[in-house]
Amino acid sequence: MTLSALVGRYWPTAALFALLLALWQLAVSALEIRPYLLPSPAMVWNALWQAGFSWWPHLWITSLEIVGAFFMAAIVGVALGTAVAWSPLVANALMPFLVFVNTLPKVAIAPLLLIWIGYGILPTMVMGALIGFFPVVINTAVGLSQVETDMLDLGRVFSAPKWKIFLKIRIPNALPYILSALKITATAAVVGAIVGEFVASQAGLGYVIANTQSSMNTAVAFASLIWISAIGLALYGVVVLAARLWAPWAEGVE
Amino acid sequence: MSTSLIDLQKVGMTYEAASGPVEALADISLRVGTGEFVSLVGPSGCGKSTLLRIIAGLRPATKGMVEVTGEQVTRPIPDIGMVFQAPILLKWRSILRNVLLPAELAGRDAGKLRDRALALLDMAGLGGFAEKLPRELSGGMQQRAALCRALLLDPPLLLMDEPFGALDAMTRDDMALELLRIWGETSGARKTVLFVTHSIAEAVFLSDRVVVITPRPGRVAADIAIDLPRPRTVELRASEAFGRLNFDVFRALTGRAG
């Protein structure tokens, strides 16, 4: 997109955003809302850069957890999805368990994860992976299976072995489906990381938010939210870029 | 005909449906000679596509005997080229790499066949499109690419299942001429073609013989020799002989006595 096209596409968003910010700032000063209830945008902006502590360790920990959860979900999801697509027997055996795990409220598992894995970033990663892996399983299985019968017949005519059909036809066919699921996983990984930090942690943006409850430093909580969404958006953007790069034939496939 | 490449004797096919067994094909006996162009004509659902897949060894017949090049067909047979109603090109591969797919699937060196693939694309009028993705080509061009793919390994037998069925009428007539040219109407070494269609005019225009199949269960209703001169030209469509043969096939299809 050219610059003018970008401006044309996004100016309504930018205008609305600016308007809301202005209203917010105005409301806070005009109605004299106390900062611990609702800090002004200016205070949030200050907290983003100077919170009385360094953001870096928290940003680092949370990013690590999110990226770790994302890759865990991606690898486990693709592996399970492939197993499901490979053989109906595996699919029949596995699917009920996967659906069961998926229906469990993950937050309820968080304390168990702490008992089993211990404190640190690992249980938080597992948490994010648990929330985000299921769509990857489903989309991988669907993408690997949705190949025209005629195309498979073509493979049979040339007596192509099963692995070759997988490699040359099924896997490329599944790629857009997988990348589409990973967009959901990217968001789920963020949720998982924050939930994990809420339950037990000594660092991370979720930890910072939990602490503002006692310190009444609401501006810092707002600033944390902005940092979290920045990390989430960055990961989401990377997945979208990867989709454009690796599956350009499937632009717009969801 | 000197030798028969395809020999079907009393072939029947019954499959299990929810409402009980369905007889799709019954008592089909048919010989196709080497180098012959034979069309199977019949209404939708008469089992002609199933018959094509039985000959390819992709589906088993439940009755009778199927022989190709003197050997009983029990599993998918190599050395055939298949063209379906949809081009079913792989969306992520360039046209050239789609044409080379059979080589890769069959475990042959695709690199060595690159020149042949390019020559086929040239012949099909797709010379400038080798590096394009399928979605950048029209339906007719995609189907021509699918034909090139079927021809890559130079199979002696081409099985075509309503290959032009999804194309508009004008493109369809052009493709018929194109197919005859590629088939080698003017050269000596012609491939054997079994061509499924529901268009009478298309069958008569292309074929040496038109085999009419009636539906439920599919049976051979007539085997009509098309004694029109080759190479076939557009003008042929206006000739009296062409009209008469069209009517013969039509009569056989509708079961009207002459």
Side-chain angles (χ1 to χ4, degrees):
Chain A
M1 257 193 272
T2 61
L3 188 67
S4 63
L6 274 174
V7 170
R9 167 78 178 75
Y10 290 110
W11 76 260
T13 317
L16 182 63
F17 184 67
L19 182 72
L20 288 174
L21 274 186
L23 281 176
W24 178 4
Q25 181 74 52
L26 214 66
V28 168
S29 45
L31 305 173
E32 291 179 2
I33 299 174
R34 274 164 293 182
Y36 77 86
L37 282 176
L38 184 66
S40 70
M43 290 171 73
V44 174
W45 178 256
N46 285 336
L48 261 183
W49 310 107
Q50 285 171 336
F53 58 86
S54 170
W55 283 106
W56 290 114
H58 302 293
L59 279 172
W60 167 247
I61 291 282
T62 301
S63 303
L64 203 63
E65 286 163 351
I66 290 173
V67 171
F70 176 81
F71 278 104
M72 247 185 232
I75 292 166
V76 171
V78 168
L80 287 172
T82 308
V84 164
W86 184 267
S87 117
L89 185 75
V90 176
N92 287 339
L94 215 54
M95 275 319 281
F97 289 99
L98 295 179
V99 171
F100 167 71
V101 171
N102 188 48
T103 51
L104 282 177
K106 306 305 172 303
V107 187
I109 310 177
L112 282 176
L113 289 176
L114 290 179
I115 295 171
W116 291 337
I117 310 176
Y119 288 83
I121 61 169
L122 193 59
T124 311
M125 281 183 190
V126 173
M127 182 67 154
L130 271 175
I131 296 180
F133 85 105
F134 196 68
V136 186
V137 179
I138 296 299
N139 274 27
T140 304
V142 168
L144 289 172
S145 312
Q146 293 216 327
V147 175
E148 290 103 328
T149 323
D150 286 343
M151 180 47 83
L152 297 177
D153 278 348
L154 213 59
R156 290 174 62 206
V157 164
F158 297 109
S159 5
K162 197 174 176 182
W163 65 263
K164 205 178 251 183
I165 300 288
F166 250 81
L167 200 68
K168 297 200 182 284
I169 296 170
R170 290 189 188 272
I171 290 176
N173 192 65
L175 208 53
Y177 292 82
I178 296 171
L179 287 163
S180 173
L182 288 179
K183 288 180 198 166
I184 303 170
T185 305
T187 336
V190 177
V191 176
I194 300 307
V195 167
E197 286 176 0
F198 275 178
V199 175
S201 62
Q202 285 88 45
L205 295 168
Y207 165 83
V208 171
I209 291 177
N211 264 10
T212 55
Q213 274 184 324
S214 49
S215 66
M216 297 277 198
N217 197 347
T218 315
V220 168
F222 269 79
S224 299
L225 285 180
I226 293 172
W227 282 124
I228 291 165
S229 68
I231 300 170
L233 277 174
L235 184 58
Y236 189 87
V238 168
V239 179
V240 169
L241 272 179
R244 242 174 240 170
L245 201 67
W246 294 335
W249 67 87
E251 278 284 86
V253 169
E254 289 301 325
Chain B
M1 87 197 63
S2 49
T3 51
S4 64
L5 188 83
I6 301 173
D7 194 349
L8 305 177
Q9 281 178 28
K10 296 189 180 303
V11 168
M13 165 80 170
T14 307
Y15 64 90
E16 294 298 325
S19 53
V22 176
E23 197 175 20
L25 295 167
D27 207 22
I28 302 258
S29 292
L30 177 70
R31 282 164 178 266
V32 178
T34 305
E36 253 193 316
F37 197 124
V38 176
S39 287
L40 301 175
V41 183
S44 299
C46 75
K48 50 197 193 303
S49 297
T50 308
L51 186 61
L52 212 61
R53 282 167 176 75
I54 287 174
I55 294 167
L58 292 167
R59 312 271 182 280
T62 46
K63 270 190 218 144
M65 189 206 67
V66 183
E67 277 187 10
V68 175
T69 56
E71 277 179 54
Q72 190 136 7
V73 174
T74 51
R75 54 193 184 88
I77 51 174
D79 297 339
I80 56 170
M82 291 203 73
V83 184
F84 307 92
Q85 181 166 1
I88 52 157
L89 301 169
L90 297 175
K91 302 186 274 289
W92 54 89
R93 285 184 167 229
S94 68
I95 292 300
L96 174 63
R97 293 193 59 233
N98 262 294
V99 172
L100 285 169
L101 181 70
E104 295 178 33
L105 290 178
R108 305 254 304 257
D109 186 352
K112 280 186 182 155
L113 285 158
R114 206 185 129 88
D115 287 343
R116 173 169 169 78
L118 286 170
L120 281 168
L121 284 172
D122 260 342
M123 187 178 65
L126 296 174
F129 297 88
E131 296 307 328
K132 298 266 188 252
L133 286 177
R135 67 167 181 192
E136 298 174 272
L137 273 64
S138 69
M141 290 160 94
Q142 290 191 23
Q143 197 56 297
R144 272 186 272 169
L147 182 59
C148 292
R149 179 182 60 191
L151 291 169
L152 180 74
L153 299 179
D154 203 14
L157 175 59
L158 272 182
L159 300 176
M160 309 182 79
D161 187 6
E162 295 190 35
F164 310 145
L167 304 177
D168 63 84
M170 281 177 70
T171 313
R172 196 166 176 157
D173 290 348
D174 284 346
M175 291 288 287
L177 278 170
E178 197 86 349
L179 173 61
L180 287 179
R181 194 170 58 79
I182 293 168
W183 173 57
E185 210 168 35
T186 49
S187 83
R190 288 175 184 170
K191 295 179 184 308
T192 310
V193 182
L194 201 54
F195 189 95
V196 165
T197 178
H198 54 245
S199 158
I200 297 173
E202 188 173 78
V204 171
F205 184 76
L206 289 168
S207 314
D208 297 317
R209 274 163 65 208
V210 173
V211 175
V212 176
I213 305 203
T214 54
R216 282 164 219 264
R219 291 176 196 277
V220 175
D223 192 333
I224 298 165
I226 308 298
D227 49 2
L228 298 169
R230 289 193 188 275
R232 308 264 161 96
T233 57
V234 184
E235 291 73 33
L236 191 71
R237 289 181 190 273
S239 73
E240 199 218 334
F242 184 75
R244 180 179 48 77
L245 285 164
N246 267 286
F247 190 60
D248 286 349
V249 175
F250 172 75
R251 246 181 0 208
L253 255 174
T254 51
R256 289 181 201 175

